[in-house]
Amino acid sequence: MQKPQHTADYGGKLRLSTRLGLYLRRPELLVFLPALSLIAFWAGGEGAMMITALGLPVLFAFAGAFRDGDKTDFRLPDSLGGLALRPHITKFLDGILRDVSVTGKSTTCFVIQFDDADVLLDRHGRAVQTEVLARSAERLCAALREGDTVARLEGGGFAIALAPMRRMDLEGMIQVATRLQAALASPISIDAARIYVSCSIGFCLGPKSPLPTGASLLDAAQVAADDAGRNGPGAIRAYTSGMARKRADRDAFRSELELALDEGHIRPHFQPQICTDTGAISGFEALARWHHAERGLIPPAEFLPAIEEAGLSERLGEVILYHALAALVHWDKAGLHVPNVGVNFSSAELRNPRLAEKLKWELDRFDLTPDRLCVEILETVIAETDNDVIVHNISALAKLGCGIDLDDFGTGHASITNIRRFAVRRIKIDRSFVTKVDEDREQQKLVSGILSLAERMGLETLAEGVETKGEHAMLAQLGCGHVQGFLFGRPMPFDATQSWILEQHAHRSALPMIGSRTR
Ligand code: C2E
Ligand code: CA
Ligand code: CA
């Protein structure tokens, strides 16, 4: 790539010498050479004509008109190391944007991000990921034209700057993005594996850049790529100013979340779980709630996605675990018999290689035995995971003595092999199977099937979302071991649990007590 110019006045007035330099780098102007030579002959005689005819081409050559203009050094990398990096492409873009008033040519910047980059890393490891990136870079280079520049970005994506061009429209740029996606769509063979990747692409046309600088244009393309990633897989988005506003709002929300976690405004509420045979409390599930000063109580569905996106899942996990273990200690001290507390673990937390060690340390700190903690893991996580760390963690937690609860069972296609491999102790039958189980024959068949499978595998069972006495009665009759739902108690703040437990002890007989079916 021709090194970008380094005049400091981006977007401002270009110095006369700079302008002259730019004109001298346009070889097409030499079509006027015969006319200029004639004028020189007419004005100054033969000598003047000779000087013009020979001197002008030499002058153009010195100015770089015949060099390979905007072609890039970075187009055909032997490996990823051969690609340009962010500073290079920023400078390249800077140069084009700075000269646009003279050349009339602008550029478009694309940012390419792989969908499910984490999954690729989890499944195939770092070496394969690097190889996939290198092959993808080659394919992108092959799909581009001479003069375009490809750069590698820090997070495993790519940025592309198109060579300066006079006419650019949205439709044409969408076509370029589609071409780039197609270039990456065919499988990549590495050893015996065929790996499929897809990508989301964001782009910003030079004239739409918030500021006429390379950094701003690249940043705008990145904002568009992030938006595409959220709407992916395989989405394409052009930058609009509304996107920047949305990002600012998200950044503000992230700061608000961090503060809420630090200042204890996000903490768990506790929902009771009841043993169907005895009516006794078998545990409480800790469910995150945000106590917001203005908006009141915010349920997790409204902030968990933002927590995940902001990379705060582990921090949330620590906060909830701390409160859950502290609650057990308080109940113990008050002489209230609560066997265990269930805590939901996200896949981000389960990817921490030191999770088992961290949990053991926390349990020791509270002087609690591991069986007091139930680790709730979504069936989708167990069904999909090929991640060695997650596999190792779940086994390590089970070995430590924590109960493993398979959450939302029935929604995630976990195989029997995986249920065994992860030493699952109990399945939590998803609410969608429980609703109207007493009225709907199909529901009954499904729940009954799940319960007999669990019985054969020696697993305990809990039905979630029990709302009516009829549902409870049917579940008990079908042989479900534990129940949880609004019928017994909604998730409540810790301070409300003590009186709830005492009331439950006092009125145990008043609760619907239905003997379980003998199978
Ligand atoms: P989940 O683990 O399946 O939790 C059960 C959800 O069902 C809770 O919603 C609970 O309030 C609701 N529920 C309980 N009984 C009934 C009922 O009888 N009827 C109905 N309609 N709903 C009932 P919540 O608290 O809004 O939590 C939603 C999801 O958010 C949870 O689903 C869990 O996946 C996630 N979550 C909650 N807290 C945490 C947390 O601390 N960490 C992580 N990673 N995820 C959490
Ligand atoms: Ca749960
Ligand atoms: Ca659940």
Side-chain angles (χ1 to χ4, degrees), residues 405-425:
D405 274 9
L406 196 48
D407 205 355
D408 293 1
F409 184 82
T411 62
H413 314 290
S415 66
I416 290 179
T417 323
N418 269 355
I419 295 177
R420 285 248 176 275
R421 181 156 68 129
F422 292 115
V424 170
R425 192 201 57 181

Side-chain angles (χ1 to χ4, degrees), residues 285 287 344 376 407 428 464:
E285 177 175 3
L287 293 155
N344 294 283
E376 293 204 11
D407 205 355
K428 295 190 79 176
E464 292 191 285

Side-chain angles (χ1 to χ4, degrees), residues 450-468:
I450 293 172
L451 290 172
S452 31
L453 173 84
E455 192 183 29
R456 260 180 251 143
M457 292 182 71
L459 301 170
E460 289 183 38
T461 50
L462 180 148
E464 292 191 285
V466 182
E467 291 185 354
T468 68

Side-chain angles (χ1 to χ4, degrees), residues 61-378:
F62 266 117
F66 311 118
R67 262 184 255 140
D68 261 355
D70 295 310
K71 275 178 213 159
T72 167
D73 290 334
F74 311 118
R75 290 209 54 236
L76 290 168
D78 295 319
S79 67
L80 282 176
L83 280 185
L85 297 173
R86 182 183 289 274
H88 302 119
I89 198 161
T90 308
K91 267 189 184 176
F92 180 60
L93 291 166
D94 267 339
I96 299 172
L97 294 178
R98 190 196 51 227
D99 297 346
V100 76
S101 62
V102 174
T103 61
K105 293 177 179 179
S106 189
T107 181
T108 292
C109 180
F110 293 80
V111 166
I112 299 178
Q113 288 179 165
F114 290 96
D115 301 316
D116 299 325
D118 287 352
V119 176
L120 179 72
L121 184 63
D122 286 353
R123 277 207 192 137
H124 302 285
R126 181 78 56 195
V128 168
Q129 187 202 37
T130 308
E131 185 64 25
V132 166
L133 288 179
R135 303 262 192 102
S136 303
E138 281 163 16
R139 287 180 181 191
L140 289 175
C141 290
L144 288 166
R145 302 219 175 103
E146 257 192 24
D148 300 338
T149 292
V150 182
R152 176 160 64 101
L153 297 177
E154 305 79 27
F158 296 103
I160 289 170
L162 296 189
M165 64 183 120
R166 218 171 282 281
R167 247 184 288 149
M168 268 178 329
D169 58 23
L170 197 62
E171 213 168 295
M173 293 306 110
I174 291 173
Q175 279 170 10
V176 173
T178 311
R179 199 170 74 223
L180 296 173
Q181 282 183 328
L184 298 182
S186 48
I188 298 175
S189 299
I190 297 175
D191 300 329
R194 279 160 73 77
I195 294 164
Y196 289 84
V197 290
S198 74
C199 63
S200 296
I201 301 185
F203 66 87
C204 181
L205 281 82
K208 298 275 179 199
S209 179
L211 296 170
T213 65
S216 174
L217 181 55
L218 179 54
D219 194 40
Q222 180 73 60
V223 168
D226 291 343
D227 198 65
R230 270 189 296 279
N231 290 285
I236 296 172
R237 289 288 181 278
Y239 174 80
T240 60
S241 55
M243 283 178 184
R245 250 194 327 275
K246 266 201 250 161
R247 184 167 80 165
D249 289 349
R250 264 196 307 277
D251 288 349
F253 192 48
R254 186 203 149 104
S255 312
E256 210 188 337
L257 275 172
E258 271 175 313
L259 199 69
L261 283 167
D262 287 346
E263 299 198 338
H265 299 150
I266 295 180
R267 51 183 187 269
H269 277 198
F270 295 89
Q271 186 178 33
Q273 300 167 330
I274 308 288
C275 171
T276 8
D277 274 347
T278 63
I281 296 167
S282 42
F284 276 91
E285 177 175 3
L287 293 155
R289 295 288 180 273
W290 184 354
H291 296 252
H292 196 284
E294 284 128 39
R295 292 168 58 197
L297 203 63
I298 306 180
E302 282 180 39
F303 63 88
L304 278 182
I307 290 251
E308 225 166 85
E309 199 182 319
L312 293 169
S313 296
E314 286 209 58
R315 179 85 190 94
L316 173 75
E318 283 164 8
V319 167
I320 301 296
L321 181 72
Y322 173 85
H323 285 285
L325 299 183
L328 279 174
V329 171
H330 278 106
W331 290 322
D332 286 356
K333 279 197 184 136
L336 304 166
H337 184 64
V338 176
N340 58 55
V341 66
V343 173
N344 294 283
F345 281 74
S346 64
S347 58
E349 290 172 84
L350 291 166
R351 279 202 208 105
N352 175 0
R354 309 188 66 176
L355 179 67
E357 198 184 313
K358 191 164 127 184
L359 279 194
K360 172 139 182 35
W361 192 85
E362 286 291 337
L363 285 160
D364 287 347
R365 177 153 82 111
F366 283 95
D367 204 15
L368 291 164
T369 50
D371 60 304
R372 307 290 303 279
L373 177 68
C374 259
V375 175
E376 293 204 11
I377 301 170
L378 288 174

